[in-house]
Amino acid sequence: MKISARNVLQGTVKTVTHGAVNTEVTVELSGGTEIVAIITKRSAETLGLSSGGSVMCVIKASNVMIATE
Amino acid sequence: MKISARNVLQGTVKTVTHGAVNTEVTVELSGGTEIVAIITKRSAETLGLSSGGSVMCVIKASNVMIATE
Amino acid sequence: MKISARNVLQGTVKTVTHGAVNTEVTVELSGGTEIVAIITKRSAETLGLSSGGSVMCVIKASNVMIATE
Amino acid sequence: MKISARNVLQGTVKTVTHGAVNTEVTVELSGGTEIVAIITKRSAETLGLSSGGSVMCVIKASNVMIATE
Amino acid sequence: MKISARNVLQGTVKTVTHGAVNTEVTVELSGGTEIVAIITKRSAETLGLSSGGSVMCVIKASNVMIATE
Amino acid sequence: MKISARNVLQGTVKTVTHGAVNTEVTVELSGGTEIVAIITKRSAETLGLSSGGSVMCVIKASNVMIATE
C-alpha cells in the first residue's frame, strides 16, 4: 500500500499503554527521536504491537505544525 | 510556551513552497529524516520561514498512525 | 502495509483538482457514496491519481464525528 | 445546520463502547461499509447514541488520505 | 443537526480568502476573539460565506491542544 | 515558542477529567466561552493542569470547520 501521507518514519516500539478504547504507543526512530501515537486499542491489538516491534509512524502533512523559539 | 502536543522535533527548514492560502514546508531533522508540513501562508510569513532556518515540527499524538509491513 | 487507521474504504477516483500545494480528490465508493479528500499535490502526483483509478480512502477514527438530525 | 465538512455519510449505529473520556462508535453505512469514530463519552451521552440509531458520520476532507495498492 | 464536536462557537465572518482548492475564513467571536479556519473553496461557496455573515466555528475536542507559558 | 497554529486562545482551566491514556480539559475563555480539549494524560500531568490554572487553547486552522444555520 502506498499512502498520500507525506511522513512515514521507521522505528521500533518502546511502550504500549492500553486504555479502554485508546492506546498510547511510543516509538523510537533511528537516531533516538521518540514519537508518541494515540491509536485505538483495537488497532493496537490487530497490528499485534508490542515492545521491540518494527513499525512505521504515519503522519499527514496537514497535521504538522511549525514552531520557532 | 509549553504545549500538550507530545511530539516536538528539532530540525532545519529545507524548502518553503507557497500557494495562495497554504504553504508546504519541508524540514530536515537531525539524522536526516525529512518531515513535510502544510501550514497557512500567513503563518509561514509571520514566522519568517526560509531555507536554513532552525524550527520545530509539532505533532499532536492523536494525529500519528502506526503501520506495519 | 497494515495501518492503524480504522477506516479504509475502496473506491474509484472521479475528479482530481490541483492547487499550488494541495489537491482535491473525489472518490466514489461502491454503492455510490462520494468521499472528498484534500492531499498534497505532490502526493497526488506520486500516486499517479487520475479519474477512473482504483484507490482507498484512509481515515483515522479520531477524525470522524457523529451527528444526529 | 449546514457544515463545511465535505463528507456527511448516513448510517446506523452498530456498537457503542465507552471508555473513561472517549467512546468508540461503529456505524454501518447503507451498502454495508462500516465506519469507526472516536468521540468524547460526553458527546455520545448527549447525542443519546445506542445500537440501531440513525446517525451521520461527518469527516473534514483534509482528514482523508488516499492510498493505492 | 446535532454534532459530536464539543466546540461550536458563534461568530461573524470577517474575511474570506480563496485559493485554488482551499479558502481561509476569519471569524470574529462575540468578545472580539478571532478564529481562523481553512475549509475547501467548494464549501465556502456552498455555504455562501461572505464578510458579515453569521456562522459557527466547529472544532472537535481531540484537535485542541493546551499550552502554558 | 511561536507556533504556526493560527488560533491561540487565553483561558482558565475549569475541569480536568482523567482516563487511562487521555484527559478531557475544559477551559473558559474570557467572555465565558467554554472550550473542550482532549489531550494525553501524560501531557496533562507534565503541564500540571488543574482547575483555575491559566492556559492557552491552541488550534490549527485546518481543524476548524464552518457551519451555518
Side-chain angles (χ1 to χ4, degrees), chain F residues 4-66:
Chain F
S4 62
R6 294 286 291 277
N7 303 293
V8 181
L9 311 172
Q10 287 282 349
T12 304
V13 175
K14 284 188 64 179
T15 65
V16 178
T17 307
H18 293 297
V21 299
N22 282 310
T23 292
E24 180 175 307
V25 183
T26 58
V27 175
E28 186 173 310
L29 306 184
S30 61
T33 303
E34 194 169 302
I35 298 278
V36 182
I38 299 290
I39 63 174
T40 63
K41 185 187 181 187
R42 181 72 59 91
S43 286
E45 292 170 344
T46 302
L47 293 176
L49 298 184
S50 63
S51 181
S54 185
V55 296
M56 288 166 281
C57 295
V58 179
I59 306 158
K60 198 175 193 305
S62 56
N63 286 325
V64 180
M65 289 160 284
I66 300 291

Short mmCIF file of all heavy atoms in Angstrom, two decimals, chain F residues 4-66:
data_model
loop_
_atom_site.label_atom_id
_atom_site.label_comp_id
_atom_site.label_asym_id
_atom_site.label_seq_id
_atom_site.Cartn_x
_atom_site.Cartn_y
_atom_site.Cartn_z
N SER F 4 2.92 27.89 14.37
CA SER F 4 2.18 28.19 13.14
C SER F 4 0.67 28.10 13.33
O SER F 4 -0.08 28.66 12.54
CB SER F 4 2.62 27.26 12.01
OG SER F 4 2.35 25.92 12.33
N ALA F 5 0.22 27.38 14.36
CA ALA F 5 -1.22 27.28 14.61
C ALA F 5 -1.80 28.68 14.76
O ALA F 5 -1.32 29.47 15.57
CB ALA F 5 -1.50 26.45 15.86
N ARG F 6 -2.85 28.98 13.99
CA ARG F 6 -3.35 30.36 13.93
C ARG F 6 -4.23 30.75 15.12
O ARG F 6 -4.48 31.93 15.35
CB ARG F 6 -4.16 30.55 12.65
CG ARG F 6 -3.32 30.44 11.39
CD ARG F 6 -2.47 31.68 11.19
NE ARG F 6 -3.26 32.83 10.86
CZ ARG F 6 -3.70 33.12 9.65
NH1 ARG F 6 -3.37 32.35 8.64
NH2 ARG F 6 -4.42 34.18 9.42
N ASN F 7 -4.73 29.74 15.84
CA ASN F 7 -5.66 30.02 16.91
C ASN F 7 -5.04 29.70 18.27
O ASN F 7 -4.83 28.53 18.60
CB ASN F 7 -6.94 29.21 16.70
CG ASN F 7 -7.57 29.51 15.34
OD1 ASN F 7 -8.05 30.62 15.10
ND2 ASN F 7 -7.54 28.54 14.44
N VAL F 8 -4.75 30.74 19.03
CA VAL F 8 -4.18 30.60 20.36
C VAL F 8 -5.04 31.46 21.29
O VAL F 8 -5.00 32.69 21.23
CB VAL F 8 -2.71 31.06 20.40
CG1 VAL F 8 -2.13 30.89 21.80
CG2 VAL F 8 -1.86 30.28 19.39
N LEU F 9 -5.85 30.78 22.12
CA LEU F 9 -6.89 31.47 22.89
C LEU F 9 -6.62 31.36 24.39
O LEU F 9 -6.49 30.26 24.93
CB LEU F 9 -8.25 30.82 22.59
CG LEU F 9 -8.58 30.63 21.09
CD1 LEU F 9 -9.86 29.80 20.94
CD2 LEU F 9 -8.74 31.97 20.39
N GLN F 10 -6.52 32.50 25.06
CA GLN F 10 -6.27 32.55 26.50
C GLN F 10 -7.49 32.14 27.31
O GLN F 10 -8.62 32.55 26.98
CB GLN F 10 -5.90 33.99 26.92
CG GLN F 10 -4.52 34.42 26.50
CD GLN F 10 -3.43 33.85 27.41
OE1 GLN F 10 -3.71 33.30 28.47
NE2 GLN F 10 -2.19 33.98 26.97
N GLY F 11 -7.27 31.36 28.36
CA GLY F 11 -8.39 30.99 29.20
C GLY F 11 -7.94 30.42 30.53
O GLY F 11 -6.76 30.44 30.87
N THR F 12 -8.92 29.91 31.28
CA THR F 12 -8.69 29.37 32.61
C THR F 12 -9.26 27.97 32.69
O THR F 12 -10.40 27.74 32.28
CB THR F 12 -9.39 30.26 33.67
OG1 THR F 12 -8.92 31.61 33.51
CG2 THR F 12 -9.10 29.79 35.08
N VAL F 13 -8.47 27.04 33.21
CA VAL F 13 -8.93 25.65 33.33
C VAL F 13 -10.12 25.57 34.28
O VAL F 13 -10.08 26.14 35.37
CB VAL F 13 -7.80 24.74 33.85
CG1 VAL F 13 -8.33 23.32 34.09
CG2 VAL F 13 -6.64 24.71 32.86
N LYS F 14 -11.18 24.90 33.83
CA LYS F 14 -12.33 24.68 34.71
C LYS F 14 -12.32 23.27 35.29
O LYS F 14 -12.44 23.08 36.49
CB LYS F 14 -13.65 24.91 33.95
CG LYS F 14 -13.98 26.37 33.73
CD LYS F 14 -15.36 26.54 33.15
CE LYS F 14 -16.47 26.05 34.07
NZ LYS F 14 -17.82 26.25 33.48
N THR F 15 -12.20 22.27 34.40
CA THR F 15 -12.22 20.88 34.88
C THR F 15 -11.15 20.07 34.16
O THR F 15 -10.80 20.35 33.01
CB THR F 15 -13.59 20.21 34.62
OG1 THR F 15 -13.80 20.13 33.21
CG2 THR F 15 -14.72 21.00 35.24
N VAL F 16 -10.67 19.06 34.84
CA VAL F 16 -9.69 18.11 34.29
C VAL F 16 -10.18 16.71 34.64
O VAL F 16 -10.30 16.37 35.81
CB VAL F 16 -8.28 18.34 34.90
CG1 VAL F 16 -7.29 17.32 34.35
CG2 VAL F 16 -7.80 19.76 34.64
N THR F 17 -10.51 15.90 33.61
CA THR F 17 -11.04 14.56 33.83
C THR F 17 -10.11 13.52 33.20
O THR F 17 -9.96 13.48 31.98
CB THR F 17 -12.45 14.43 33.19
OG1 THR F 17 -13.28 15.49 33.66
CG2 THR F 17 -13.08 13.08 33.53
N HIS F 18 -9.49 12.71 34.04
CA HIS F 18 -8.51 11.76 33.53
C HIS F 18 -9.14 10.43 33.15
O HIS F 18 -9.97 9.89 33.88
CB HIS F 18 -7.44 11.47 34.60
CG HIS F 18 -6.58 12.63 34.92
ND1 HIS F 18 -5.75 13.22 33.99
CD2 HIS F 18 -6.39 13.33 36.06
CE1 HIS F 18 -5.09 14.22 34.56
NE2 HIS F 18 -5.48 14.32 35.82
N GLY F 19 -8.73 9.88 31.99
CA GLY F 19 -8.95 8.49 31.66
C GLY F 19 -7.63 7.76 31.81
O GLY F 19 -6.71 8.27 32.44
N ALA F 20 -7.55 6.56 31.25
CA ALA F 20 -6.31 5.79 31.36
C ALA F 20 -5.20 6.41 30.50
O ALA F 20 -4.06 6.51 30.94
CB ALA F 20 -6.55 4.34 30.94
N VAL F 21 -5.51 6.85 29.29
CA VAL F 21 -4.48 7.44 28.42
C VAL F 21 -4.81 8.86 27.99
O VAL F 21 -3.92 9.62 27.65
CB VAL F 21 -4.20 6.57 27.17
CG1 VAL F 21 -3.70 5.20 27.55
CG2 VAL F 21 -5.42 6.45 26.27
N ASN F 22 -6.09 9.23 28.00
CA ASN F 22 -6.47 10.58 27.60
C ASN F 22 -7.10 11.34 28.75
O ASN F 22 -7.62 10.74 29.69
CB ASN F 22 -7.45 10.52 26.42
CG ASN F 22 -6.76 10.25 25.10
OD1 ASN F 22 -5.78 10.92 24.76
ND2 ASN F 22 -7.24 9.28 24.35
N THR F 23 -7.07 12.65 28.64
CA THR F 23 -7.65 13.54 29.65
C THR F 23 -8.50 14.58 28.95
O THR F 23 -8.10 15.11 27.91
CB THR F 23 -6.53 14.21 30.46
OG1 THR F 23 -5.88 13.22 31.25
CG2 THR F 23 -7.06 15.30 31.37
N GLU F 24 -9.68 14.84 29.52
CA GLU F 24 -10.54 15.90 28.98
C GLU F 24 -10.34 17.15 29.82
O GLU F 24 -10.45 17.10 31.05
CB GLU F 24 -12.00 15.44 29.02
CG GLU F 24 -12.96 16.49 28.47
CD GLU F 24 -14.40 15.99 28.41
OE1 GLU F 24 -14.65 14.93 27.83
OE2 GLU F 24 -15.28 16.67 28.97
N VAL F 25 -10.06 18.26 29.15
CA VAL F 25 -9.84 19.52 29.84
C VAL F 25 -10.86 20.53 29.33
O VAL F 25 -11.01 20.69 28.12
CB VAL F 25 -8.41 20.06 29.55
CG1 VAL F 25 -8.14 21.34 30.34
CG2 VAL F 25 -7.35 19.01 29.87
N THR F 26 -11.58 21.18 30.24
CA THR F 26 -12.46 22.27 29.82
C THR F 26 -11.83 23.58 30.25
O THR F 26 -11.28 23.70 31.34
CB THR F 26 -13.88 22.15 30.40
OG1 THR F 26 -13.80 22.13 31.83
CG2 THR F 26 -14.55 20.87 29.94
N VAL F 27 -11.87 24.54 29.32
CA VAL F 27 -11.22 25.84 29.53
C VAL F 27 -12.26 26.93 29.30
O VAL F 27 -13.00 26.88 28.32
CB VAL F 27 -10.05 26.02 28.53
CG1 VAL F 27 -9.44 27.41 28.66
CG2 VAL F 27 -9.00 24.94 28.75
N GLU F 28 -12.31 27.90 30.20
CA GLU F 28 -13.22 29.04 30.00
C GLU F 28 -12.43 30.22 29.47
O GLU F 28 -11.49 30.70 30.11
CB GLU F 28 -13.90 29.40 31.33
CG GLU F 28 -14.96 30.48 31.14
CD GLU F 28 -15.76 30.72 32.42
OE1 GLU F 28 -16.24 29.73 33.01
OE2 GLU F 28 -15.88 31.89 32.83
N LEU F 29 -12.80 30.65 28.26
CA LEU F 29 -12.15 31.83 27.67
C LEU F 29 -12.71 33.08 28.32
O LEU F 29 -13.80 33.07 28.91
CB LEU F 29 -12.43 31.88 26.16
CG LEU F 29 -12.08 30.63 25.33
CD1 LEU F 29 -12.34 30.92 23.85
CD2 LEU F 29 -10.63 30.23 25.55
N SER F 30 -11.99 34.18 28.23
CA SER F 30 -12.55 35.46 28.68
C SER F 30 -13.78 35.71 27.82
O SER F 30 -13.76 35.50 26.61
CB SER F 30 -11.52 36.58 28.49
OG SER F 30 -11.19 36.69 27.13
N GLY F 31 -14.86 36.11 28.46
CA GLY F 31 -16.13 36.28 27.74
C GLY F 31 -17.07 35.13 28.04
O GLY F 31 -18.25 35.19 27.75
N GLY F 32 -16.49 34.03 28.60
CA GLY F 32 -17.35 32.97 29.08
C GLY F 32 -17.47 31.76 28.16
O GLY F 32 -18.00 30.73 28.56
N THR F 33 -16.96 31.88 26.93
CA THR F 33 -17.00 30.73 26.02
C THR F 33 -16.19 29.58 26.62
O THR F 33 -15.11 29.78 27.16
CB THR F 33 -16.39 31.10 24.65
OG1 THR F 33 -17.11 32.21 24.13
CG2 THR F 33 -16.46 29.93 23.69
N GLU F 34 -16.74 28.37 26.51
CA GLU F 34 -16.05 27.20 27.04
C GLU F 34 -15.49 26.35 25.90
O GLU F 34 -16.19 26.09 24.92
CB GLU F 34 -17.02 26.37 27.88
CG GLU F 34 -16.33 25.35 28.75
CD GLU F 34 -17.28 24.74 29.77
OE1 GLU F 34 -17.86 25.50 30.56
OE2 GLU F 34 -17.47 23.50 29.74
N ILE F 35 -14.24 25.95 26.03
CA ILE F 35 -13.57 25.10 25.03
C ILE F 35 -13.22 23.77 25.69
O ILE F 35 -12.75 23.75 26.83
CB ILE F 35 -12.28 25.77 24.52
CG1 ILE F 35 -12.58 27.09 23.83
CG2 ILE F 35 -11.50 24.84 23.60
CD1 ILE F 35 -13.03 26.97 22.39
N VAL F 36 -13.43 22.67 24.97
CA VAL F 36 -13.08 21.35 25.47
C VAL F 36 -11.92 20.78 24.65
O VAL F 36 -11.95 20.84 23.42
CB VAL F 36 -14.28 20.39 25.39
CG1 VAL F 36 -13.92 19.01 25.95
CG2 VAL F 36 -15.49 20.96 26.12
N ALA F 37 -10.93 20.26 25.34
CA ALA F 37 -9.76 19.65 24.68
C ALA F 37 -9.56 18.23 25.18
O ALA F 37 -9.78 17.94 26.36
CB ALA F 37 -8.51 20.47 24.98
N ILE F 38 -9.17 17.34 24.28
CA ILE F 38 -8.72 16.01 24.66
C ILE F 38 -7.22 15.94 24.42
O ILE F 38 -6.76 16.09 23.28
CB ILE F 38 -9.43 14.91 23.83
CG1 ILE F 38 -10.94 14.94 24.04
CG2 ILE F 38 -8.86 13.54 24.17
CD1 ILE F 38 -11.43 14.50 25.40
N ILE F 39 -6.46 15.76 25.47
CA ILE F 39 -5.00 15.64 25.36
C ILE F 39 -4.59 14.35 26.07
O ILE F 39 -5.41 13.69 26.69
CB ILE F 39 -4.29 16.87 25.97
CG1 ILE F 39 -4.57 16.98 27.47
CG2 ILE F 39 -4.74 18.15 25.27
CD1 ILE F 39 -3.78 18.10 28.17
N THR F 40 -3.33 13.97 25.98
CA THR F 40 -2.93 12.76 26.70
C THR F 40 -2.84 13.06 28.19
O THR F 40 -2.54 14.19 28.60
CB THR F 40 -1.58 12.20 26.20
OG1 THR F 40 -0.55 13.15 26.45
CG2 THR F 40 -1.63 11.86 24.72
N LYS F 41 -3.08 12.03 28.98
CA LYS F 41 -2.97 12.16 30.44
C LYS F 41 -1.55 12.59 30.83
O LYS F 41 -1.36 13.42 31.71
CB LYS F 41 -3.29 10.80 31.08
CG LYS F 41 -3.35 10.81 32.59
CD LYS F 41 -3.50 9.39 33.12
CE LYS F 41 -3.59 9.32 34.63
NZ LYS F 41 -3.57 7.92 35.09
N ARG F 42 -0.59 12.05 30.11
CA ARG F 42 0.80 12.40 30.38
C ARG F 42 1.04 13.92 30.21
O ARG F 42 1.71 14.55 31.01
CB ARG F 42 1.72 11.62 29.43
CG ARG F 42 3.22 11.87 29.62
CD ARG F 42 3.77 11.25 30.89
NE ARG F 42 3.57 9.83 30.88
CZ ARG F 42 4.45 8.94 30.41
NH1 ARG F 42 5.62 9.34 29.98
NH2 ARG F 42 4.14 7.65 30.41
N SER F 43 0.46 14.48 29.13
CA SER F 43 0.62 15.92 28.91
C SER F 43 -0.05 16.72 30.01
O SER F 43 0.49 17.73 30.48
CB SER F 43 0.02 16.32 27.56
OG SER F 43 0.85 15.90 26.50
N ALA F 44 -1.23 16.28 30.41
CA ALA F 44 -1.95 17.00 31.48
C ALA F 44 -1.12 17.02 32.76
O ALA F 44 -1.06 18.02 33.47
CB ALA F 44 -3.31 16.34 31.73
N GLU F 45 -0.43 15.90 33.01
CA GLU F 45 0.41 15.81 34.21
C GLU F 45 1.67 16.66 34.05
O GLU F 45 2.07 17.37 34.96
CB GLU F 45 0.78 14.35 34.47
CG GLU F 45 -0.44 13.51 34.89
CD GLU F 45 -0.16 12.01 34.91
OE1 GLU F 45 0.86 11.58 34.32
OE2 GLU F 45 -0.97 11.28 35.49
N THR F 46 2.28 16.58 32.87
CA THR F 46 3.51 17.35 32.63
C THR F 46 3.25 18.85 32.74
O THR F 46 4.07 19.60 33.28
CB THR F 46 4.08 17.02 31.23
OG1 THR F 46 4.32 15.62 31.16
CG2 THR F 46 5.38 17.76 30.98
N LEU F 47 2.12 19.29 32.22
CA LEU F 47 1.78 20.72 32.27
C LEU F 47 1.24 21.10 33.65
O LEU F 47 1.08 22.28 33.94
CB LEU F 47 0.73 21.06 31.20
CG LEU F 47 1.18 20.95 29.74
CD1 LEU F 47 0.00 21.22 28.81
CD2 LEU F 47 2.31 21.94 29.43
N GLY F 48 0.94 20.11 34.48
CA GLY F 48 0.42 20.39 35.81
C GLY F 48 -0.94 21.06 35.80
O GLY F 48 -1.22 21.95 36.60
N LEU F 49 -1.79 20.60 34.89
CA LEU F 49 -3.10 21.25 34.73
C LEU F 49 -4.01 20.98 35.93
O LEU F 49 -4.17 19.84 36.37
CB LEU F 49 -3.78 20.75 33.46
CG LEU F 49 -3.06 21.04 32.15
CD1 LEU F 49 -3.93 20.57 30.98
CD2 LEU F 49 -2.73 22.51 32.00
N SER F 50 -4.63 22.03 36.43
CA SER F 50 -5.65 21.87 37.46
C SER F 50 -6.58 23.06 37.41
O SER F 50 -6.25 24.11 36.82
CB SER F 50 -5.01 21.74 38.84
OG SER F 50 -4.33 22.93 39.15
N SER F 51 -7.75 22.90 37.99
CA SER F 51 -8.77 23.94 37.95
C SER F 51 -8.22 25.28 38.41
O SER F 51 -7.52 25.37 39.43
CB SER F 51 -9.94 23.50 38.84
OG SER F 51 -10.96 24.46 38.81
N GLY F 52 -8.51 26.32 37.64
CA GLY F 52 -8.07 27.66 37.99
C GLY F 52 -6.78 28.09 37.30
O GLY F 52 -6.44 29.28 37.31
N GLY F 53 -6.08 27.14 36.71
CA GLY F 53 -4.81 27.47 36.05
C GLY F 53 -5.01 28.26 34.77
O GLY F 53 -6.00 28.08 34.06
N SER F 54 -4.05 29.12 34.47
CA SER F 54 -4.10 29.93 33.27
C SER F 54 -3.45 29.16 32.11
O SER F 54 -2.32 28.70 32.22
CB SER F 54 -3.34 31.24 33.52
OG SER F 54 -3.48 32.08 32.41
N VAL F 55 -4.18 28.99 31.01
CA VAL F 55 -3.67 28.22 29.87
C VAL F 55 -4.05 28.88 28.55
O VAL F 55 -4.82 29.84 28.52
CB VAL F 55 -4.24 26.77 29.86
CG1 VAL F 55 -3.79 25.99 31.08
CG2 VAL F 55 -5.77 26.80 29.76
N MET F 56 -3.51 28.31 27.47
CA MET F 56 -3.92 28.69 26.13
C MET F 56 -4.47 27.46 25.41
O MET F 56 -3.94 26.36 25.57
CB MET F 56 -2.73 29.24 25.34
CG MET F 56 -2.29 30.62 25.83
SD MET F 56 -0.66 31.09 25.20
CE MET F 56 0.41 30.15 26.31
N CYS F 57 -5.54 27.66 24.65
CA CYS F 57 -6.03 26.61 23.75
C CYS F 57 -5.42 26.88 22.38
O CYS F 57 -5.54 28.00 21.87
CB CYS F 57 -7.55 26.66 23.65
SG CYS F 57 -8.37 26.27 25.22
N VAL F 58 -4.77 25.87 21.81
CA VAL F 58 -4.08 26.04 20.53
C VAL F 58 -4.76 25.15 19.49
O VAL F 58 -4.90 23.95 19.70
CB VAL F 58 -2.59 25.65 20.67
CG1 VAL F 58 -1.87 25.81 19.33
CG2 VAL F 58 -1.91 26.49 21.76
N ILE F 59 -5.19 25.75 18.40
CA ILE F 59 -5.95 25.02 17.37
C ILE F 59 -5.44 25.36 15.98
O ILE F 59 -5.42 26.53 15.59
CB ILE F 59 -7.46 25.37 17.45
CG1 ILE F 59 -8.00 25.16 18.87
CG2 ILE F 59 -8.26 24.57 16.43
CD1 ILE F 59 -9.26 25.95 19.18
N LYS F 60 -5.05 24.34 15.22
CA LYS F 60 -4.58 24.54 13.85
C LYS F 60 -5.78 24.94 12.98
O LYS F 60 -6.87 24.34 13.10
CB LYS F 60 -3.97 23.23 13.35
CG LYS F 60 -3.07 23.33 12.15
CD LYS F 60 -2.43 21.99 11.84
CE LYS F 60 -1.28 22.07 10.85
NZ LYS F 60 -1.55 22.69 9.57
N ALA F 61 -5.60 25.91 12.12
CA ALA F 61 -6.71 26.43 11.31
C ALA F 61 -7.37 25.35 10.45
O ALA F 61 -8.58 25.37 10.23
CB ALA F 61 -6.23 27.57 10.42
N SER F 62 -6.59 24.37 10.01
CA SER F 62 -7.15 23.33 9.15
C SER F 62 -8.06 22.38 9.91
O SER F 62 -8.73 21.53 9.32
CB SER F 62 -6.05 22.53 8.45
OG SER F 62 -5.15 21.98 9.39
N ASN F 63 -8.11 22.53 11.24
CA ASN F 63 -9.00 21.71 12.06
C ASN F 63 -10.28 22.44 12.47
O ASN F 63 -11.05 21.93 13.28
CB ASN F 63 -8.27 21.22 13.31
CG ASN F 63 -7.28 20.12 12.98
OD1 ASN F 63 -7.53 19.30 12.10
ND2 ASN F 63 -6.15 20.10 13.66
N VAL F 64 -10.49 23.62 11.93
CA VAL F 64 -11.71 24.38 12.23
C VAL F 64 -12.67 24.26 11.05
O VAL F 64 -12.28 24.45 9.90
CB VAL F 64 -11.39 25.87 12.50
CG1 VAL F 64 -12.67 26.64 12.82
CG2 VAL F 64 -10.37 26.00 13.62
N MET F 65 -13.91 23.89 11.34
CA MET F 65 -14.96 23.85 10.32
C MET F 65 -15.88 25.05 10.50
O MET F 65 -15.92 25.65 11.57
CB MET F 65 -15.78 22.56 10.45
CG MET F 65 -14.99 21.33 10.03
SD MET F 65 -15.69 19.79 10.70
CE MET F 65 -15.15 19.89 12.41
N ILE F 66 -16.61 25.39 9.44
CA ILE F 66 -17.57 26.49 9.50
C ILE F 66 -18.96 25.90 9.25
O ILE F 66 -19.14 25.07 8.36
CB ILE F 66 -17.26 27.55 8.42
CG1 ILE F 66 -15.86 28.13 8.62
CG2 ILE F 66 -18.32 28.66 8.44
CD1 ILE F 66 -15.68 28.99 9.84
#
